[in-house]
Amino acid sequence: APSGMWNQPSHSPFRRFAAAQVEGPSAGASPAGSNEPTALRDALADAGIVLVVDDEPAIVESLTKIFRREGLGVLAAADGSAGLDLLRKHRVGVLLTDLMMPNTSGMDLLRAAKTIAPETEVVLMTAYGTVETAVDAMEAGGYDFVTKPLKRAHVVRIAKNALEKQSLLVENRSLKAQLAEKRRRAISGTSLAWRRTMDIVQQAAPS
C-alpha cells in the first residue's frame, strides 16, 4: 500500500511534486554517481538488472528514470504478479519491491525470489507504518528496506550496494565451481597416470 504522499490523482500538481521528490535533480542535472569511472558503472550493470515493482505508477516511473540515468538495466512491473513473471524470465540482480500490494505482496515476491532466484537481492519499500513488517521481511532474507517518501540518493546507494553483493556472490560461486572442476580433473588425471604406472610395473614383473 502506498504512503499518503503518493495517494494522489496522477494529474494533480501535488503528485507531480511528489514524483519530483523521488527523482531528485531535474533531467538536465547530472545524476548522482555520474563521476564514477565508466568501468565501475559497467560492472554494476553487468552484475544484473534492477526490477522495480510497485502498484503506484508514479513511483515505478521515477525509479526507472533514476536507475537508467545511473547506467543500470531496469525492468518494471505494476503489480506483484507481473513482477514474479519477470523474475522468472530474467536474471535479476536486485528486486526493489513495495511491501504492501494487493494479491501478490512484496513478502510473496521475497519468498519466491529465494526459491527461484536465490542470488537476487531483495529490497523492500515501505510506508512508515509498516517498518516492523519490513524488518520481518529482512529476517526472511531481504537485503534492506527503504521508507516512503523515497530519497533518491539513498535508494541508488542501496541498489548499487546490493548489486555489488550479488555480483560478488555470483563470482564466488563461479570460482568455486571452476576450482571443483580443476580438482576433479586433477584426481582423474592422477588416477589414469597411476593405472598406467601399475600396468607398466605388472608387465615388467617376472612371470
Side-chain angles (χ1 to χ4, degrees), residues 165-178:
K165 178 185 176 183
Q166 190 261 1
S167 178
L168 290 174
L169 289 174
V170 172
E171 182 180 1
N172 184 51
R173 181 170 298 182
S174 176
L175 290 174
K176 285 184 177 180
Q178 292 176 26

Side-chain angles (χ1 to χ4, degrees), residues 97-154:
T97 177
D98 187 24
L99 183 59
M100 305 300 290
M101 295 183 293
N103 301 321
T104 304
S105 68
M107 184 66 81
D108 293 331
L109 286 178
L110 170 60
R111 296 192 185 101
K114 293 306 169 184
T115 300
I116 64 179
E119 294 172 349
T120 298
E121 297 295 342
V122 182
V123 178
L124 286 303
M125 296 183 288
T126 175
Y128 290 114
T130 56
V131 171
E132 291 184 2
T133 307
V135 172
D136 292 339
M138 290 178 63
E139 292 178 352
Y143 175 79
D144 205 341
F145 74 93
V146 291
T147 55
K148 296 179 179 180
L150 303 172
K151 295 182 180 179
R152 179 187 182 282
H154 184 56

Side-chain angles (χ1 to χ4, degrees), residues 52-55 60 76-85 101-104 109:
V52 179
V53 184
D54 199 306
D55 55 354
V60 172
D79 58 64
S81 179
L84 183 58
D85 187 49
M101 295 183 293
N103 301 321
T104 304
L109 286 178

